[in-house]
């Protein structure tokens, strides 16, 4: 089989287990430690499996940040990715989905011989869910999105694409971009050896200027949108809570009767 | 205040217009003077009457795409309209797989930003204003578009109520697709995985199961219960990812949004990802072993207990009534 070179876009996000907050300019507070978005661990695993199946090739991570953070990238390198390109620039803060896609596209342009680009369907923090489509358009690539199963053979990629009603079998030719859902594969845990090796793997850190991008195309200016209000959503009140003493089902039946459902 | 013209992405399955499309058309009538639809596919004539009855005066339809996945050809056709000065002030999509594909590619093609996952839409100073829930739906962020060119907006299903306008059938107009936009990615086979009975996002009762069921076989209890209540079975992301049930059953941020009369969460802890998809339900019943589970924070009736004990008794009680 020919070598398989896969680029995986990965996002470093604030730990979702911690309560999130917004900065004064209404961007997400990303000042604490950033971790690998769990949504991206599936793409990393998929890439590792595809390269292993091909027998040769490389997995390159591409990531975008405003603050030079690498801890999330190291987690993905520890899983087994070979190298990373990290675009780090203050001007990236406030970028929207299209701005992010423009930076990713320019960064992927630095990687040679790309057969496949893998993205998550959506990030866990912003969940716009459109970067994969925007990126494939900017790169001029065919795309197969929302993949829950991916197979590669004879220069073609075949995916099971989730739909509202079930799934479609979709086929396209390489090079291509595929966005994968959580659960497409089971991500591995980094081994101790992997964690140690990750410390010395190459991370090519570049700025917007290195990519030939003007700061006005990204960040708040490039986003061409203004946040006009941030308000707490109306909270839902909790009702009655009881501990089951063996008769909780009667309580449920009574509630359903009251609602005239039965 | 309104904008002049809005185009709504029409989605349909087997000639039936999807609910999200009807919801968007109803909202578009509040926001725009003229509401039209666009559709990727061959059978626009079959849906023109329904689209018209919900307020679309015209449906711009691509015709047969030969199985090409919608993103590339529909975005290319829309971008050509914009380039020719024949586009709308705003494009409205549902936050669906095809909606995201087309909107994303269109955004890159015409270099306009998009706003996704919106739950409210408005017009202020002649510009579209969109509201998106963040942090698991606890905070709403309202954003308006700046700069020239059409707005691209994706709204979450169940955000607006569908309503008929009493209009006649929409006029079908050709939406020309550039030849090089065809055939890149092709659908070779379709699989429908929905359960029999009422549809998950339309059912009056939804019974969902999660990791607390312990093993895939136990999901049968959820299906039995859903059937007894004339409802639809649903699932948390955890058991979909684990392969117990198909994605079509998933309720939550990355699955379906449901707002039934009764939502019953069985063995679901209530991660924000799940809550976003169901906390708009009229009544919520939760059964979970962990009394600290976040699901109890939104439940009208919370049962701290073991689903393996409560559900069999509940099923028996309901069976004895029927």
């Amino acid at each position: 089989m020919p070598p398989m070179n896969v680029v995986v876009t990965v996002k470093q996000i604030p730990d979702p287990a911690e309560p999130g907050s917004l900065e004064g300019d209404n961007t997400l507070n990303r000042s604490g430690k950033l971790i690998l978005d769990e949504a991206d661990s599936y793409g990393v695993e998929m890439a590792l499996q595809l390269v292993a199946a091909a027998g040769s090739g490389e997995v390159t991570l591409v990531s975008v940040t405003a603050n030079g953070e690498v801890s999330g990238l190291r987690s993905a390198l520890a899983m087994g990715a070979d190298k990373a390109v990290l675009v780090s620039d203050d001007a990236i803060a406030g970028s929207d989905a299209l701005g992010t896609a423009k930076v990713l596209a320019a960064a992927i342009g630095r990687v040679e011989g790309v057969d496949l680009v893998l993205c998550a369907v959506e990030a866990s923090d912003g969940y716009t869910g459109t970067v994969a489509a925007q990126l494939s358009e900017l790169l001029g690539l065919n795309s197969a999105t929302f993949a829950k199963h991916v197979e590669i053979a004879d220069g073609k990629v075949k995916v099971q694409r989730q739909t509202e009603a079930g799934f479609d079998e979709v086929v396209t030719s390489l090079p291509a971009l595929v966005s994968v859902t959580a659960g497409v594969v089971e991500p591995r845990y980094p081994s101790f050896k992997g964690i140690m090796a990750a410390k010395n793997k190459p991370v090519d850190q570049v700025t917007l200027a290195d990519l030939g991008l003007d700061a006005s195309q990204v960040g708040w200016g490039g986003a061409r949108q203004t946040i006009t209000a941030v308000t707490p959503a109306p909270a839902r009140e909790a009702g009655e809570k009881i501990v089951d003493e063996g008769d909780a089902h009667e309580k449920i039946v009574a509630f359903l009767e009251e609602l005239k459902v039965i | 205040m309104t904008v002049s013209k809005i185009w709504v992405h029409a989605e349909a399955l087997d000639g039936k217009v999807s609910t999200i499309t009807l919801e968007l058309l109803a909202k578009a009538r509040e926001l725009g003077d003229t509401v039209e639809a666009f559709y990727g596919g061959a059978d626009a004539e079959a849906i023109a009457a329904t689209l018209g009855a919900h307020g679309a005066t015209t449906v711009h339809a691509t015709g047969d795409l030969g199985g090409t996945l919608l993103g590339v050809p529909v975005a290319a056709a829309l971008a050509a309209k914009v380039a020719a000065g024949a586009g709308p002030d705003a494009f409205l999509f549902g936050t669906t797989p095809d909606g995201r594909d087309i909107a994303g590619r269109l955004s890159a093609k015409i270099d306009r930003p998009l706003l996704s996952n919106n739950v409210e839409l408005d017009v202020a100073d002649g510009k579209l204003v969109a509201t998106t829930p963040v942090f698991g739906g606890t905070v709403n962020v309202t954003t308006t578009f700046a700069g020239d060119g059409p707005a691209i907006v994706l709204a979450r299903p169940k955000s607006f109520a569908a309503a008929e306008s009493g209009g006649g059938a929409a006029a079908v107009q050709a939406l020309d697709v550039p030849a090089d936009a065809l055939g890149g990615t092709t659908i070779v086979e379709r699989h429908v995985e929905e359960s029999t009975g009422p549809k998950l996002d339309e059912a009056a009762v939804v019974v969902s199961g999660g990791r607390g069921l312990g093993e895939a076989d136990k999901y049968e209890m959820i299906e039995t219960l859903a059937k007894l209540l004339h409802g639809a079975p649903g699932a948390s992301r955890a058991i979909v990812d684990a392969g117990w049930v198909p994605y079509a059953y998933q309720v939550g941020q990355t699955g379906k949004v449901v707002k039934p009369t009764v939502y019953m969460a069985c063995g679901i802890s209530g991660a924000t990802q799940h809550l976003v998809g169901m906390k708009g339900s009229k009544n919520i019943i939760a059964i979970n072993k962990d009394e600290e589970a976040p699901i109890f924070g939104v439940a009208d009736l919370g049962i701290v207990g073991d689903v393996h004990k409560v559900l069999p008794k509940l099923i028996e009680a309901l069976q004895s009534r029927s």
Side-chain angles (χ1 to χ4, degrees):
Chain A
M1 274 178 84
M4 185 75 200
N5 290 313
V6 186
V7 164
V8 189
T9 61
V10 295
K11 189 170 184 182
Q12 303 179 102
I13 63 168
D15 191 339
E18 307 287 329
S21 65
L22 297 175
E23 300 276 16
D25 67 352
N26 290 322
T27 54
L28 183 62
N29 178 352
R30 299 175 191 275
S31 60
K33 183 174 180 280
L34 299 182
I35 62 168
L36 174 67
D37 187 348
E38 189 234 347
D40 290 324
S41 62
Y42 302 94
V44 174
E45 178 64 38
M46 187 86 244
L48 293 170
Q49 291 186 14
L50 291 173
V51 170
S56 63
E58 274 194 324
V59 176
T60 307
L61 310 170
V62 174
S63 190
V64 173
T65 177
N67 65 2
E69 172 76 49
V70 293
S71 50
L73 275 184
R74 293 289 173 203
S75 304
L77 290 168
M79 288 173 69
D82 297 285
K83 56 188 171 58
V85 179
L86 176 66
V87 189
S88 177
D89 203 307
D90 294 342
I92 286 167
S95 293
D96 70 339
L98 183 57
T100 304
K102 285 177 182 174
V103 179
L104 286 170
I108 292 169
R110 291 171 72 87
V111 184
E112 281 177 23
V114 178
D115 299 298
L116 182 69
V117 178
L118 290 176
C119 301
V121 160
E122 64 187 27
S124 305
D125 56 352
Y127 76 104
T128 308
T130 56
V131 170
Q134 289 165 317
L135 182 57
S136 48
E137 185 65 38
L138 293 169
L139 291 170
L141 288 177
N142 292 327
S143 57
T145 43
F146 304 92
K148 63 170 190 139
H149 183 80
V150 182
E151 271 174 46
I152 291 193
D154 306 324
K156 289 192 183 301
V157 52
K158 185 171 167 182
V159 314
Q160 292 181 358
R161 178 180 183 266
Q162 285 179 348
T163 62
E164 296 289 295
F167 68 92
D168 291 344
E169 279 175 41
V170 167
V171 177
T172 195
S173 301
L174 296 175
L177 181 147
V178 171
S179 72
V180 295
T181 60
V184 65
V185 283
E186 185 67 38
R188 70 193 66 186
Y189 287 103
S191 64
F192 179 69
K193 208 176 126 193
I195 292 167
M196 296 312 287
K199 294 183 197 295
N200 296 315
K201 286 183 175 172
V203 176
D204 177 19
Q205 197 159 325
V206 296
T207 63
L208 291 177
D210 294 333
L211 296 175
L213 286 174
D214 191 283
S216 69
Q217 289 178 270
V218 301
W220 274 118
R224 290 162 292 169
Q225 52 197 265
T226 315
I227 292 179
T228 55
V230 176
T231 48
R236 196 187 166 101
E237 298 281 321
E240 189 185 3
K241 184 160 85 172
I242 59 160
V243 176
D244 178 33
E245 305 282 0
D247 57 356
H249 61 286
E250 290 170 13
K251 198 91 185 168
I252 297 174
V253 169
F255 189 57
L256 293 172
E257 278 177 341
E258 193 187 316
L259 298 172
K260 302 197 184 336
V261 169
I262 52 173
Chain B
M1 193 175 232
T2 52
V3 296
S4 172
K5 189 183 276 188
I6 298 182
W7 281 14
V8 171
H9 179 218
E11 299 193 52
L13 190 65
D14 299 330
K16 187 172 181 284
V17 180
S18 69
T19 310
I20 174 70
T21 303
L22 304 181
E23 293 166 4
L24 293 176
L25 286 171
K27 192 67 194 181
R29 297 207 307 272
E30 290 175 25
L31 303 172
D33 303 331
T34 303
V35 175
E36 298 179 347
F38 61 94
Y39 178 68
D43 49 351
E45 299 287 350
I47 58 171
T50 307
L51 294 174
H54 287 79
T57 51
T58 297
V59 53
H60 303 268
T62 61
D64 189 13
L65 295 170
T68 308
L69 198 60
L70 296 184
V72 171
V74 179
L78 296 176
K81 283 281 187 191
V82 173
D89 299 290
F91 292 98
L92 236 60
F93 296 85
T95 306
T96 62
D98 286 332
R100 287 165 161 195
D101 274 6
I102 300 168
R105 283 191 176 265
L106 176 64
S107 149
K109 267 195 176 304
I110 65 172
D111 194 26
R112 285 293 294 159
L114 58 75
L115 293 170
S116 177
N117 284 306
N118 299 293
V119 294
E120 186 50 276
L121 295 172
D122 242 313
V123 175
D125 298 330
K127 302 257 183 208
L128 222 56
V129 180
T131 299
T132 317
V134 299
F135 302 138
T138 54
V139 174
N140 286 325
V141 175
T142 303
T143 310
T144 183
F145 287 89
D148 295 329
I152 306 174
V153 171
L154 297 97
R156 284 184 73 74
K158 293 274 183 290
S159 299
F160 318 118
E164 294 203 10
S165 65
V172 180
Q173 276 192 18
L175 180 63
D176 296 328
V177 176
D180 63 357
L182 290 173
T185 305
T186 319
I187 301 167
V188 291
E189 203 173 335
R190 291 185 182 275
H191 298 263
V192 174
E193 285 183 321
E194 280 177 318
S195 58
T196 52
K199 287 179 71 167
L200 179 54
D201 50 1
E202 291 169 8
V205 177
V206 172
V207 184
S208 283
R211 191 69 92 172
L213 291 170
E215 52 185 334
D217 287 353
K218 300 286 187 220
Y219 189 79
E220 209 183 306
M221 292 193 294
I222 301 298
E223 285 173 321
T224 306
L225 195 51
K227 204 165 190 176
L228 283 164
L229 295 170
H230 309 290
S236 70
R237 193 182 111 179
I239 71 167
V240 173
D241 287 354
W244 294 6
V245 291
Y247 169 74
Y249 287 56
Q250 186 173 318
V251 173
Q253 182 173 302
T254 47
K256 292 202 168 73
V257 178
V258 299
K259 291 188 175 176
T261 308
V262 177
Y263 186 85
M264 200 181 294
C266 308
I268 292 176
S269 65
T272 51
Q273 131 86 243
H274 188 75
L275 296 181
V276 168
M278 47 64 78
K279 72 178 180 184
S281 305
K282 285 197 193 71
N283 301 281
I284 297 171
I285 302 172
I287 309 168
N288 202 290
K289 268 203 293 204
D290 175 10
E291 64 171 321
E292 300 295 324
I295 193 78
F296 290 126
V298 299
D300 300 289
L301 175 60
I303 310 287
V304 182
D306 186 348
V307 288
H308 302 98
K309 291 185 180 146
V310 180
L311 292 184
K313 287 186 191 164
L314 179 60
I315 288 168
E316 203 187 310
L318 291 170
Q319 278 168 340
S320 70
R321 296 168 62 98
S322 55

